[in-house]
Amino acid sequence: MWFEWWLNYRFRRYFRDASDAIHIIDSTPLGVDLYHEGAMVGRPFTVWYEGEQVTTDRDDENPRPFHLLTEEKAVAKVSFMVCVPSITIPTREFVYMLSYAVNTYRTAGKTYLIKIDGEEIKPNKTK
């Protein structure tokens, strides 16, 4: 929430419409969370054989597929997306500025894409 506010404060002058805003979209998990160190309460899940019929009274107990981390990354691609409205300066220049700001404050190990006016753009890497 504060990161979005700060990005909007810093880059709003480059938006075509000043009432628009940058927003961050988190990646959605694909299947069952296999392991969380230190978790006190886990979400219930059912393990079943392929083709086996499972009936339950609770929606959160319905079978969900297991996914390996590599499979999830192949589908979800990134940890989060920075969605930007249309801008008034060249895209390449804006991507350099935005990448620098996000790379400075993002959590280590998190990956992201920049989406400007619906077009997905890879951010610039820093050392």
Side-chain angles (χ1 to χ4, degrees):
M1 178 177 85
W2 291 106
F3 191 48
E4 278 183 5
W5 175 88
W6 182 77
L7 289 173
N8 284 305
Y9 174 77
R10 183 156 182 203
F11 295 107
R12 178 159 280 138
R13 63 178 163 232
Y14 303 115
F15 298 166
R16 197 170 302 282
D17 182 2
S19 64
D20 284 336
I22 292 175
H23 59 278
I24 297 174
I25 299 174
D26 289 329
S27 177
T28 56
L30 298 176
V32 175
D33 303 326
L34 295 179
Y35 178 75
H36 288 286
E37 188 173 353
M40 302 306 272
V41 178
R43 294 186 333 203
F45 62 91
T46 305
V47 179
W48 72 100
Y49 291 107
E50 189 172 340
E52 182 181 4
Q53 296 296 319
V54 178
T55 57
T56 179
D57 296 334
R58 295 176 46 188
D59 287 336
D60 61 349
E61 288 181 347
N62 283 328
R64 293 175 288 164
F66 285 99
H67 290 278
L68 295 173
L69 183 60
T70 54
E71 290 175 318
E72 189 165 328
K73 285 196 178 264
V75 175
K77 292 192 258 185
V78 293
S79 304
F80 65 96
M81 291 187 73
V82 180
C83 299
V84 179
S86 61
I87 52 176
T88 57
I89 62 173
T91 302
R92 186 173 179 179
E93 185 178 334
F94 187 80
V95 168
Y96 279 123
M97 293 186 300
L98 185 61
S99 295
Y100 178 77
V102 174
N103 287 336
T104 302
Y105 296 106
R106 72 181 163 86
T107 304
K110 297 291 183 178
T111 57
Y112 68 99
L113 279 176
I114 297 171
K115 193 173 190 178
I116 299 178
D117 206 21
E119 179 187 352
E120 290 183 8
I121 302 165
K122 288 186 178 182
N124 296 318
K125 302 281 185 201
T126 58
K127 294 180 183 178

